[in-house]
Amino acid sequence: MATFNRYTSNGVTTATSIHQSNASDAAQADIIIGFSIANAHTATVTVDAYIHDGSSNIYLCKQATIPVGGAIEVITGKIVLDNNDNVYVTSDNAVDVWLSVLDNASA
C-alpha cells in the first residue's frame, strides 16, 4: 500500500543519504514529489543532489548555489525511484534537506 512519507536531514555537509528506495517488488516504485534544500549557513553554499542507481550517479543538480537565507526546489515534477535507488545530497557548508516521497506506489 502506498504511503506519503518525508525524509529530512539537518546540517548536511558531506555526501549524505537522504532516502533509499524500499519499493517492495518490481511492480512498485517510490516517487519523489517534493525536494527542497535550504541554506543553514552564514555564507552562500554550493550543493549537489543526485541519485545513485547502484552503478552510477545521476545528478538532479550539480554545484547549485544557495544564498544566505535561501532555498532551492530541486525538482518541479516527479522522479520515480526503483528499488535500492539512493538519494544523496552534499554541500560545502551546512544545508537542511526535506524530501517528500510516495512510498511503494504501483501502476
Side-chain angles (χ1 to χ4, degrees), residues 48-87:
D48 295 343
Y50 59 93
I51 298 169
H52 185 75
D53 68 358
S55 62
S56 62
N57 295 335
I58 296 95
Y59 284 86
L60 303 174
C61 70
K62 186 160 178 69
Q63 297 183 343
T65 58
I66 307 173
V68 175
I72 62 170
E73 186 68 27
V74 177
I75 61 167
T76 57
K78 314 290 185 286
I79 300 286
V80 176
L81 302 173
D82 284 337
N83 192 32
N84 294 320
D85 284 353
N86 209 333
V87 179

